[in-house]
Amino acid sequence: MSWIDIGNIEDIPVRGARVLKTRMGCVAVFRTSEAEVFAVDDTCPHKQGPLSEGIVHGKAVTCPLHNWVFSLETGMAQGADEGSIATYPTMVENGRILISADALQSRVAAE
């Protein structure tokens, strides 16, 4: 698996997000209160809300438009809601956030 360096973990506030722009749309990169990093599609499948502007709680994010909640680990909607968002493998190495280049490329191929 190949990885792309997308920035320093300190560039993302705790329980916040930053947007990674790709040719096929935006990916939201989240930092939890436990300093874990997750990357998911930035668009909620319900009403296309920007998930990067949502509220991070635990390992989930709540869409700012209609309060749909998605697991940052699996991308699955939680509770009574249905649907999912794509997730992308990430890791933190020496304070740098790395995202799977293979997963991003497969996103391009799938869309």
Side-chain angles (χ1 to χ4, degrees):
M1 185 179 292
S2 59
W3 298 91
I4 300 171
D5 184 328
I6 58 171
N8 191 309
I9 191 169
E10 298 300 326
D11 294 339
I12 302 176
V14 174
R15 292 187 304 271
R18 290 288 184 261
V19 175
L20 175 66
K21 294 181 179 177
T22 73
R23 288 183 290 152
M24 296 305 292
C26 295
V27 172
V29 182
F30 294 94
R31 177 180 175 187
T32 69
S33 60
E34 303 298 321
E36 294 175 289
V37 175
F38 297 95
V40 301
D41 278 343
D42 191 30
T43 304
C44 176
H46 177 224
K47 296 284 186 180
Q48 287 69 54
L51 293 175
S52 57
E53 295 177 19
I55 298 170
V56 177
H57 44 96
K59 294 180 183 181
V61 61
T62 298
C63 178
L65 294 186
H66 297 95
N67 296 323
W68 280 34
V69 178
F70 295 92
S71 164
L72 293 173
E73 292 180 300
T74 67
M76 298 301 297
Q78 307 294 294
D81 299 319
E82 296 180 4
S84 65
I85 52 176
T87 62
Y88 304 93
T90 58
M91 67 178 174
V92 178
E93 213 172 69
N94 299 321
R96 303 294 299 179
I97 301 169
L98 306 174
I99 190 167
S100 168
D102 299 332
L104 288 177
Q105 288 176 341
S106 68
R107 177 181 199 228
V108 171
E111 293 184 13

